[in-house]
């Protein structure tokens, strides 16, 4: 076969480079596929009923943060199995302890250690308050905002299955005992109030106008998640929609559901994981009755700082805006294998919110939101292990191991938890 002329070879080389660059860029916008370890039940034993005597704490303190944890030795397999063992509390007040075995940990793709920035700020709201109050019930009850729920102990959570809620462990347990409100735990789902019968017609122009407004608002939210400007061309529609979200309207109401059982990892308990208890600040609640609301799947991402625009998003029920859902987004400032430091504006009440990002599904052009962490709130962290306290807004990351555990809690079948 003869040599290709230069005028043919050059365009082919350029084409290959363009395709490779496009593929690399597309990779950044696509959910990675992770082979996760399996968490299997070894043994379950009954325990005495909890006292339910702990009091909620508006701010957590004394946790060993990213800098402090760098000085700790890596956890062994036996340690991890102990930390991932868990307690289950049932609605009748009974309690059990389940020990677990972790299989396939060495087969998991290496979980990279990320380079962190050294930025520092203070306070729960940093400078200008950038939170959005989703006060329009026609918007707050639509996905993805509809996945956010209110916990009766004063926290937030997120639906991760038709009947399971992911939240922060400290919303249920203070590390020594369960909160006094956890014995009759309830979860509130935002609902639309029906005003039919008072002059409001079925269908018609009013219903069509609402659907059009909902669609426009969803488009604005999608653009914000992708780092684009919220304003749309033509007569300032985007700007009106953005302001509409913060306008006071009819106060939202909740449909409350009792919790059937609560599961908390042993790593969260005092004296179990040493300085690593901050890594295990998550819990799963199983509802007695599944609300007819779309949930959000879990996802695993190796580096949040490297995703397009580097943004995370979450919605919760901040105490300073009673009854209203509050949405925010911001960039990640620092991350480790298990923790994320960020400066998303937040107030007490938003703890337990599901932190999510939006990427494309593998092999598809469709975008999908997934929960990649749990916002644990404004915390005072032991920075260097010498007792010096620094405040941060902190989130716990969903790692392959945590994904395996939470997936097992939700499905009860490890065969459904092999790939994230």
């Amino acid at each position: 076969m003869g040599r290709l002329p230069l005028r043919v070879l050059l365009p082919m080389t350029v084409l290959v480079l363009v395709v490779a660059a496009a593929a690399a860029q597309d990779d950044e916008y696509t959910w990675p596929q992770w082979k996760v370890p399996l968490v299997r039940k070894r043994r379950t034993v009954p325990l005495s009923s909890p006292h339910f005597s702990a009091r909620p704490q508006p701010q957590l303190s004394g946790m060993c943060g990213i800098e402090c944890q760098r000085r700790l030795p890596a956890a062994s397999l036996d340690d991890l199995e102990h930390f991932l063992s868990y307690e289950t509390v049932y609605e009748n007040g009974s309690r059990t302890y389940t020990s677990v075995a972790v299989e396939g940990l060495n087969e998991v793709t290496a979980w990279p250690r990320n380079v962190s920035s050294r930025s520092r700020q203070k306070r729960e709201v940093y400078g200008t308050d950038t939170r959005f109050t989703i006060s329009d019930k026609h918007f707050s009850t639509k996905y993805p905002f509809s996945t956010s729920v209110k916990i009766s102990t004063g926290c937030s959570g997120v639906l991760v299955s038709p009947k399971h809620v992911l939240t922060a462990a400290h919303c249920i347990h203070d590390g020594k005992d369960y909160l006094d409100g956890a014995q009759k735990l309830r979860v509130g789902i935002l609902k639309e109030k029906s005003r039919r019968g008072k002059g409001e017609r079925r269908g018609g122009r009013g219903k069509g106008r609402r659907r059009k407004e909902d669609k426009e608002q969803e488009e604005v939210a999608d653009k914000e998640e992708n780092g684009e400007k919220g304003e749309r061309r033509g007569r300032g529609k985007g700007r009106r929609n953005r302001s509409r979200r913060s306008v006071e309207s009819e106060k939202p109401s909740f449909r409350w559901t009792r919790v059937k059982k609560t599961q908390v990892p042993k790593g969260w308990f005092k004296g179990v994981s040493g300085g690593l208890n901050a890594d295990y600040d998550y819990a799963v609640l199983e509802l007695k009755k599944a609300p007819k609301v779309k949930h959000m799947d879990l996802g695993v991402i190796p580096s949040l700082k490297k995703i397009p625009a580097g943004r995370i998003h979450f919605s919760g029920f901040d105490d300073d805006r009673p009854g209203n859902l509050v949405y925010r987004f911001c960039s990640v400032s620092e991350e480790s294998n298990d923790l994320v430091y960020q400066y998303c504006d937040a107030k007490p009440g938003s703890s337990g919110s599901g932190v999510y990002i939006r990427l494309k599904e593998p092999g598809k052009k469709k975008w999908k939101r997934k929960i990649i962490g749990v916002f644990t709130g404004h915390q005072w962290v032991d920075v260097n292990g010498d007792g010096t306290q620094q405040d941060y807004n902190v989130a716990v990351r969903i790692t392959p191991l945590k994904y395996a555990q939470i997936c097992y809690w939700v499905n009860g079948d490890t065969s459904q938890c092999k790939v994230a």
Side-chain angles (χ1 to χ4, degrees), residues 286-342:
E286 182 179 337
L287 306 180
K288 289 190 68 174
K289 184 178 180 181
K292 296 179 180 179
V293 177
K294 185 178 178 181
H295 67 276
M296 197 178 296
D297 292 335
L298 296 177
V300 177
I301 194 79
S303 175
L304 292 169
K305 294 184 71 176
K306 294 179 181 178
I307 61 174
R311 283 181 176 175
I312 58 173
H313 310 254
F314 62 94
S315 302
F317 296 92
D318 300 46
D319 289 350
D320 64 334
R321 302 183 185 184
N324 284 310
L325 183 64
V326 182
Y327 161 74
R328 74 229 76 198
F329 62 89
C330 70
S331 298
V332 172
S333 297
E334 188 170 354
E335 61 181 357
S336 68
N337 289 2
D338 292 273
L339 299 177
V340 175
Y341 290 169
Q342 35 70 32

Side-chain angles (χ1 to χ4, degrees), residues 151-153 172 181-187 257-259 262 285:
I151 312 296
S152 58
T153 54
I172 312 299
Q183 189 169 11
K184 296 181 179 180
L185 200 60
R186 297 184 303 156
V187 168
T257 302
R258 289 291 297 272
V259 172
T262 300
L285 319 177

Side-chain angles (χ1 to χ4, degrees), residues 7-20:
R7 64 177 180 272
V8 175
L9 189 60
L10 282 175
M12 288 178 63
T13 304
V14 172
L15 179 61
V16 169
L17 291 173
V18 170
V19 171

